[in-house]
Amino acid sequence: MSRKFLIVDDSNTMRRIVVNTLKSLGYNEYVEAEDGKVALEKLNADSAINFVITDWNMPVMTGLELTKAIRANERTKELPILMVTTRGVKEDIVQALQARVSNYVVKPFTPQILKEKIDLVLSN
Amino acid sequence: MSDTVKNLNEMMGKLKDVGELFKFGERMVPVVENFISFMSDFIPIIEEVNGSIEETRSKIPEASKQINNVTNATELAITEVLDVVDKINDEIHNIDDCLSDMIASRHSVEELVEQLSTEIKGNAKAEEILQEMLNKIDVSLELEMMKNRLKNIITSTDQITMSLQVQDITAQQLAAVNHLIISVQHKLSSLLAVFNLADEETFAKDNLDMPGTHFDANASYNKSTNDQDLVDSVISGEKASQDDIDKLFS
Ligand SMILES: [Mg+2]
């Protein structure tokens, strides 16, 4: 099955780093969004997207709000969502899990960690 | 005692009170004088404080602009570094492909040599030359070594990519500082309005817009795996408790 990623982060640098990491893992299909609202628009416009990698802290709509919106939509509720964020305290992790993210990566991450988590999410 | 004497006595009492009041007034004069002198010293201080608050407040937009400039300049520089890292990675993959081709052609040469050695079996001299030739052109070890070195370079570029994530972290820290100094500007404007008895809006009109709080003020650049280990343990803990709940309902 081909993978098309939606990479959501307000930092250009981070989007670029995630894209580079995905390419090095052999995933070449992706779209980018700078906040949760744009992400939802892209998700609604492109049914080929089947994996979301999202930051938490973003203007307009946060990654947590995006996760809740994706889970609340019948068409997208089962979509794999990987939260990639600087927030590493337990309360945040629990909050993200309660919003039903599929997994969670703390920045800065190594390409190996990202690969590991993507594989883990896809294997479940 | 006649009423007249009684009234005179009363008047004397009142006069004594007035006398006491004058005495007290005399004692109070230096205190009041000191107070007036203190106030006349204090007013310039208040004016100075007022002026320095105004100066601090007026410098805040420039400080905020400089913080944004730092964020933008860092982002630009890091994008350039990422461009270079991309080029290096492309070159590494090209070289790696070339090495793979060389290793493949080396295998086909080996097959030809195999055939040739069957053909020249019995010709000791030819067999000796062929062996010597094989020893001289055998670069399989070097090829493997070069492949390993390329892997090391890729590991190093991965580390560079990881380190460049510091930009997102510092950008969030700077955004937190920016948010803080803009809120200080707003507070100073309110304070100045009190001091100057002027309309708060007059001071607020050149206030910067309060930026959103879309940053993690606690973002930190920590390359240890402790944070990720915590995430993994929380996830497995949550999963375990979810499994227990699932079991109860199954
Ligand atoms: Mg962010």
Side-chain angles (χ1 to χ4, degrees):
Chain A
M1 183 187 181
S2 76
R3 283 280 148 211
K4 186 165 188 177
F5 287 81
L6 172 59
I7 301 150
V8 197
D9 202 306
D10 57 324
S11 158
N12 293 330
T13 310
M14 281 314 304
R15 288 204 304 275
R16 177 85 183 269
I17 288 172
V18 173
V19 166
N20 283 8
T21 311
L22 288 179
K23 281 183 182 169
S24 76
L25 301 176
Y27 297 115
N28 293 308
E29 274 200 88
Y30 60 88
V31 280
E32 295 179 42
E34 65 270 26
D35 63 56
K37 189 169 173 277
V38 177
L40 277 183
E41 285 162 10
K42 297 212 168 172
L43 206 51
N44 287 334
D46 187 350
S47 59
I49 295 169
N50 50 17
F51 202 110
V52 179
I53 297 180
T54 184
D55 179 28
W56 184 320
N57 289 91
M58 293 181 289
V60 189
M61 184 190 247
T62 67
L64 195 70
E65 290 162 342
L66 171 67
T67 303
K68 288 175 183 169
I70 291 173
R71 293 292 179 242
N73 182 321
E74 194 57 35
R75 185 179 75 79
T76 57
K77 66 177 184 184
E78 299 296 337
L79 217 54
I81 304 174
L82 184 61
M83 179 76 85
V84 180
T85 173
T86 50
R87 303 169 76 116
V89 296
K90 193 178 171 188
E91 290 71 23
D92 291 333
I93 304 161
V94 170
Q95 210 183 336
L97 290 175
Q98 282 168 348
R100 293 184 38 234
V101 296
S102 313
N103 217 307
Y104 196 102
V105 171
V106 182
K107 295 174 187 171
F109 59 83
T110 59
Q112 286 73 24
I113 288 283
L114 196 67
K115 180 188 182 323
E116 228 174 73
K117 297 299 172 192
I118 291 171
D119 289 347
L120 195 63
V121 170
L122 291 177
S123 69
N124 286 336
Chain B
M1 205 190 303
S2 70
D3 280 354
T4 316
V5 174
K6 206 172 156 190
N7 286 344
L8 276 172
N9 279 342
E10 221 171 84
M11 202 198 295
M12 279 309 288
K14 292 254 160 64
L15 279 173
K16 266 186 195 164
D17 286 350
V18 172
E20 289 298 320
L21 196 67
F22 274 116
K23 276 185 199 159
F24 176 72
E26 253 172 51
R27 284 205 305 274
M28 279 303 289
V29 167
V31 177
V32 171
E33 274 176 355
N34 280 343
F35 183 68
I36 291 169
S37 151
F38 168 74
M39 283 308 286
S40 49
D41 287 346
F42 192 62
I43 287 167
I45 294 172
I46 294 218
E47 274 172 354
E48 206 176 300
V49 169
N50 199 352
S52 82
I53 290 176
E54 173 56 31
E55 198 189 341
T56 309
R57 192 188 71 98
S58 66
K59 281 181 181 165
I60 284 177
E62 189 54 32
S64 169
K65 200 174 124 194
Q66 278 174 355
I67 287 176
N68 288 333
N69 287 348
V70 170
T71 305
N72 294 338
T74 319
E75 185 169 29
L76 201 69
I78 285 183
T79 305
E80 284 171 10
V81 177
L82 279 169
D83 287 343
V84 175
V85 170
D86 271 1
K87 275 187 193 155
I88 295 172
N89 281 340
D90 285 348
E91 288 300 330
I92 291 170
H93 286 119
N94 289 339
I95 298 171
D96 195 47
D97 288 347
C98 285
L99 288 177
S100 300
D101 288 348
M102 284 165 81
I103 290 170
S105 81
R106 163 86 200 155
H107 288 315
S108 45
V109 167
E110 274 169 6
E111 280 170 24
L112 288 172
V113 166
E114 196 80 23
Q115 285 175 30
L116 188 60
S117 63
T118 329
E119 293 298 327
I120 61 170
K121 221 171 188 94
N123 185 339
K125 188 64 189 164
E127 277 179 341
E128 189 190 324
I129 294 170
L130 182 64
Q131 193 51 53
E132 201 182 333
M133 195 179 82
L134 277 178
N135 291 342
K136 287 202 167 146
I137 62 164
D138 187 6
V139 286
S140 53
L141 267 177
E142 285 81 355
L143 286 178
E144 281 308 317
M145 218 161 68
M146 280 163 80
K147 269 197 159 275
N148 285 335
R149 286 195 174 155
L150 286 184
K151 265 187 205 150
N152 291 343
I153 300 174
I154 289 172
T155 308
S156 301
T157 55
D158 280 353
Q159 274 166 0
I160 294 173
T161 303
M162 184 185 176
S163 301
L164 293 179
Q165 292 173 51
V166 73
Q167 198 270 327
D168 181 37
I169 291 153
T170 53
Q172 293 193 69
Q173 288 166 341
L174 289 173
V177 173
N178 207 7
H179 189 272
L180 182 72
I181 66 167
I182 292 172
S183 56
V184 167
Q185 188 201 33
H186 286 215
K187 287 272 184 300
L188 291 181
S189 294
S190 315
L191 203 61
L192 279 174
V194 172
F195 274 138
N196 291 283
L197 302 170
D199 188 356
E200 194 170 331
E201 275 178 27
T202 316
F203 292 103
K205 75 174 188 302
D206 56 350
N207 275 355
L208 295 169
D209 286 341
M210 206 61 204
T213 51
H214 54 268
F215 50 79
D216 172 13
N218 299 316
S220 66
Y221 183 68
N222 182 3
K223 278 170 86 175
S224 85
T225 56
N226 293 352
D227 285 348
Q228 190 60 48
D229 291 345
L230 173 70
V231 168
D232 295 344
S233 74
V234 172
I235 289 177
S236 53
E238 288 280 315
K239 198 178 174 309
S241 52
Q242 187 57 50
D243 285 348
D244 292 341
I245 295 167
D246 292 347
K247 264 181 217 156
L248 284 175
F249 286 97
S250 60

